[in-house]
Amino acid sequence: MTRGREHGVDAVTGKIAGKRSQRAALLHDLLKLTNRLMAPFSTHLAHRYRISLNEFRLLMTIGDLGRTASHEVAEITGVNVMSVSRAVATLQRHGRVAVVRDEGNRRRKWLTLTDEGRRLYELMRPQSDKVADYLFDGLSPTELDGMTDIVERLIGRLEATDAGGRSAFLEATKIED
């Protein structure tokens, strides 16, 4: 296999040659990984079932939990509350999710799958399992445990708040004026 470079890009790995720190390169690799993980969704599910990525994520989360609230789905998935709200409205409009106000807490709305939502969940769940199996089959149990630990630590860091309750991540990465 020949390793060539075109326009500062390694022809074998597709990585930008030498311009980024190891951390920045790893960040971009994680973004690439995320994009590659979306391919089966967009190829096999999005068009066939007329569902967006956020709607899919919510449908799968509600299906796994049975009943939950929008703010809980936002916390579990990492999708912002406004996007969750839009996805819930679309899922409800398509008859996939039922929204019921909690009588004990008028601000809370319970989300559950309708019969159509449950049918779709059951159709899509095996696809999610196939993606996970394909991705992680090459890892040993020890490597998988190590990766799980690293991902949990990174998520914890991204979800941390400062003394004022603001996102420590957003505060640390904001653009200086």
Side-chain angles (χ1 to χ4, degrees), residues 42 70 96-97 112 135 154:
S42 59
S70 291
R96 296 170 172 172
V97 169
T112 56
L135 182 63
L154 291 173

Side-chain angles (χ1 to χ4, degrees), residues 67-158:
R67 181 178 91 152
T68 189
S70 291
H71 71 278
E72 293 168 339
V73 173
E75 186 175 319
I76 291 166
T77 62
V79 175
N80 70 56
V81 176
M82 181 59 72
S83 294
V84 167
S85 180
R86 278 190 227 114
V88 166
T90 302
L91 288 167
Q92 188 177 21
R93 190 170 49 252
H94 290 134
R96 296 170 172 172
V97 169
V99 180
V100 177
R101 189 168 300 279
D102 184 338
E103 292 302 321
N105 178 351
R106 303 292 293 163
R107 291 180 8 201
R108 176 181 289 214
K109 294 179 183 175
W110 290 112
L111 309 175
T112 56
L113 296 182
T114 62
D115 288 343
E116 172 60 15
R118 174 69 49 197
R119 182 188 74 77
L120 204 53
Y121 170 78
E122 294 298 336
L123 285 169
M124 293 180 167
R125 190 174 57 178
Q127 183 67 28
S128 294
D129 293 343
K130 278 184 182 180
V131 171
D133 290 346
Y134 182 88
L135 182 63
F136 298 120
D137 272 351
L139 299 179
S140 72
T142 302
E143 290 171 322
L144 193 56
D145 288 345
M147 185 170 183
T148 299
D149 180 57
I150 290 169
V151 169
E152 287 173 356
R153 287 176 35 212
L154 291 173
I155 290 171
R157 185 155 170 81
L158 293 173

Side-chain angles (χ1 to χ4, degrees), residues 20-28:
R20 295 192 178 133
S21 70
Q22 179 185 16
R23 290 177 173 191
L26 179 57
L27 173 63
H28 286 271

Side-chain angles (χ1 to χ4, degrees), residues 54-68:
N54 283 341
E55 292 163 27
F56 168 76
R57 293 179 70 197
L58 267 63
L59 186 90
M60 298 310 290
T61 302
I62 296 165
D64 287 344
L65 297 174
R67 181 178 91 152
T68 189

